[in-house]
Amino acid sequence: MLISHDRRLLANLSRTTVWLDRGKTRRIEMGFATFEAWRDEQLAEEELAQHKLDRKIVAEEHWVRYGVTGRRKRNVRRMAQLQALRQARREHRAPPARR
């Protein structure tokens, strides 16, 4: 295990990189030289997934306001799914701002 702030040293010596990010560890089987590109790709994918979740919540909220008819079983299930989506958005921890 090697921990350093010297990027050149890390790029030259590392073969595997473990990234500790917001309480989770992610492992990449490449050295530190490719880490930053990989990290940016991971954060972009996460941002896209969060954007899709937000769009889905907006669509479901629109359905709640204008599309609910009666008290059918599927409507109850759909409302429960909306609550689960909202909970997922609340629990998401945003990545730190990039410098």
Side-chain angles (χ1 to χ4, degrees):
M1 176 190 265
L2 176 66
I3 300 173
S4 176
H5 292 285
D6 186 351
R7 292 173 182 258
R8 183 174 294 167
L9 175 74
L10 290 172
N12 290 335
L13 295 179
S14 63
R15 285 179 273 150
T16 300
T17 304
V18 178
W19 181 32
L20 177 61
D21 177 43
R22 294 169 277 159
K24 295 181 183 177
T25 58
R26 301 179 195 187
R27 183 180 175 131
I28 179 176
E29 295 297 329
M30 292 183 264
F32 187 77
T34 60
F35 168 73
E36 289 180 333
W38 174 80
R39 178 202 59 203
D40 292 343
E41 181 181 309
Q42 295 295 313
L43 291 175
E45 287 175 9
E46 189 176 293
E47 187 176 328
L48 179 63
Q50 196 62 29
H51 179 70
K52 286 181 181 180
L53 176 66
D54 290 341
R55 281 196 343 234
K56 174 96 172 150
I57 290 172
V58 167
E60 289 297 306
E61 287 173 345
H62 182 269
W63 172 80
V64 167
R65 283 191 200 101
Y66 303 109
V68 176
T69 56
R71 293 180 182 249
R72 297 186 191 127
K73 191 172 188 173
R74 76 182 156 141
N75 292 342
V76 173
R77 179 182 47 84
R78 202 163 171 182
M79 291 295 292
Q81 288 174 344
L82 176 60
Q83 290 302 322
L85 291 173
R86 287 176 176 162
Q87 183 66 27
R89 182 172 48 185
R90 275 193 297 273
E91 290 175 356
H92 175 72
R93 292 169 36 183
R98 294 186 215 165
R99 293 183 200 174

